[in-house]
Amino acid sequence: MNIILCKDYEAMSAIAADIIAKQVKSNKTSVLGLPTGSTPIGTYTKLAEMCNAGEIDFSSVKTFNLDEYYPIKRDNDQSYYYFMYKNFFSKINIKPENVHVPNGEVEDAEKECKEYEEAIAAAGGIDLQMLGIGQNGHIGFNEPDSELYPFTHKTSLTENTILANARFFESASDVPTNALTMGMASILSAKKIIILINGANKKEATKALLKGTVTTSCPATLLNLHPDVTLICTEDAYCE
Ligand code: PGA
């Protein structure tokens, strides 16, 4: 795993944005895998600035988001669809038809997940996947468990994640209890992966990831199976 240590959140965001910009400049039809959460917001802001300065062009880029609550309406301000438009898509020149977020509004979640995998394959697979990480080592909504389902699927949220995400809702009881998420095999199919880790509360997760072993009790460790992963980590989140 390549490791880039950054002095703070600002530096981490700048490095991640530069890697994504380089990808998009080298292939203007790039397929990007994208996360939500507080970690990537700075990266999205920097990419939007570059786009508005005419330095990068998203008009032929396709994106696939990692996950979405289920069920949830897309116009709910806590949906990941809403988050992505608010923080990124509304600020760049991406075409709406090139944006993919698992649809938390559908009746048939199984069909949605199957079609999501098919859409990733039809786009030619993900060129560059950006990730965040949960304090418990989750990736997307792949939560620590004795078994993991490899492809896009519906899953229930752990108590830990519901509590961590409650800060965005009026109360923990308003957090949806299910989600649609790309599986670890969907994620590991990306050609390149960057994982952003910020803040001292992620130290344990960083440590587990850097141990180099693989366990479903810390889904992030499965990234050790991939040949091209770059960890972009703030100093306070770093722990060997
Ligand atoms: P955060 O969430 O970026 O808000 O810390 C990351 C995650 O839970 O995957």
Side-chain angles (χ1 to χ4, degrees):
M1 186 169 313
N2 310 309
I3 301 173
I4 303 176
L5 268 186
C6 311
K7 72 174 187 331
D8 55 19
Y9 180 79
E10 187 67 16
M12 179 199 74
S13 303
I15 288 169
D18 280 345
I19 292 172
I20 295 170
K22 201 168 145 216
Q23 170 68 42
V24 171
K25 281 180 196 169
S26 72
N27 174 9
K28 65 186 176 76
T29 63
S30 288
V31 180
L32 303 177
L34 300 176
T36 51
S38 52
T39 307
I41 291 178
T43 306
Y44 291 144
T45 303
K46 288 190 187 302
L47 285 168
E49 284 166 9
M50 290 182 208
C51 182
N52 290 321
E55 291 165 26
I56 38 174
D57 174 16
F58 286 95
S59 63
S60 302
V61 167
K62 292 194 171 100
T63 63
F64 286 88
N65 262 83
L66 271 180
D67 51 7
E68 177 62 284
Y69 289 118
Y70 186 82
I72 198 160
K73 293 279 181 206
R74 286 187 152 178
D75 62 4
N76 182 321
D77 64 5
Q78 292 308 326
S79 80
Y80 289 173
Y81 182 90
Y82 189 98
F83 174 101
M84 287 306 297
Y85 269 91
K86 176 166 166 251
N87 291 294
F88 193 36
F89 298 146
S90 65
K91 301 179 179 173
I92 59 171
N93 65 334
I94 196 160
K95 297 197 175 107
E97 63 269 30
N98 287 340
V99 162
H100 304 83
V101 181
N103 191 346
E105 294 187 351
V106 298
E107 288 277 313
D108 189 342
E110 206 173 310
K111 179 166 173 276
E112 171 65 15
C113 293
K114 185 168 171 286
E115 288 175 359
Y116 203 70
E117 283 292 327
E118 287 166 0
I120 295 172
I126 291 171
D127 294 304
L128 177 61
Q129 173 73 55
M130 172 162 61
L131 299 172
I133 190 172
Q135 287 180 47
N136 63 359
H138 74 212
I139 297 285
F141 278 115
N142 296 281
E143 300 282 0
D145 209 336
S146 57
E147 292 182 330
L148 295 176
Y149 187 79
F151 301 105
T152 304
H153 60 285
K154 181 179 149 203
T155 186
S156 51
L157 272 56
T158 61
E159 200 54 37
N160 180 307
T161 298
I162 291 173
L163 292 177
N165 292 5
R167 62 198 148 124
F168 302 116
F169 290 81
E170 285 197 0
S171 73
S173 61
D174 290 325
V175 183
T177 51
N178 291 285
L180 307 180
T181 185
M182 281 166 60
M184 290 309 298
S186 335
I187 293 162
L188 291 168
S189 301
K191 294 181 188 81
K192 282 177 199 286
I193 298 176
I194 58 174
I195 176 163
L196 279 56
I197 312 189
N198 168 59
N201 62 341
K202 299 281 175 73
K203 257 188 160 115
E204 282 306 310
T206 311
K207 187 174 177 183
L209 173 64
L210 292 179
K211 197 173 163 207
T213 52
V214 169
T215 171
T216 58
S217 65
C218 179
T221 63
L222 273 76
L223 298 177
N224 285 306
L225 297 169
H226 194 282
D228 192 350
V229 177
T230 299
L231 166 63
I232 308 169
C233 186
T234 57
E235 277 168 12
D236 58 352
Y238 186 72
C239 186
E240 265 185 302

